[in-house]
Amino acid sequence: MSRKIDAVIEADGRVRLLEEVKLDSPRRAILLILDDGLDETEGLAALLSEGALAEDWNRPEEEAAWSHLQPEP
């Protein structure tokens, strides 16, 4: 199960978690650095789901279904 943990990255690169995290074993994590001034959720869902959706979007059946919207070469 995945979950979102808010954190702050200091100028020297140290990561400071904004909540306590307890795990039963070491885990991999993805660190996404957000620009200041942007709503943290703006576009985040699309960014995080891009890889999974690309598998579906790039199927030959999808290309054929939407080919009528593509400009003629």
Side-chain angles (χ1 to χ4, degrees):
M1 178 169 98
S2 298
R3 66 182 193 192
K4 176 183 161 273
I5 305 293
D6 288 325
V8 173
I9 303 173
E10 305 293 347
D12 64 2
R14 289 181 297 126
V15 176
R16 180 170 43 96
L17 301 179
L18 299 180
E19 59 187 86
E20 184 175 341
V21 176
K22 293 189 180 210
L23 302 170
D24 57 356
S25 62
R27 301 290 171 90
R28 293 178 51 219
I30 296 172
L31 179 62
L32 175 65
I33 300 173
L34 304 171
D35 290 334
D36 283 339
L38 294 178
D39 179 354
E40 67 183 55
T41 59
E42 185 178 327
L44 187 57
L47 179 64
L48 294 176
S49 62
E50 182 178 359
L53 292 173
E55 290 179 30
D56 187 49
W57 292 336
N58 293 328
R59 293 181 317 165
E61 300 86 15
E62 284 294 313
E63 292 296 323
W66 297 98
S67 64
H68 69 281
L69 297 175
Q70 299 298 319
E72 293 292 325

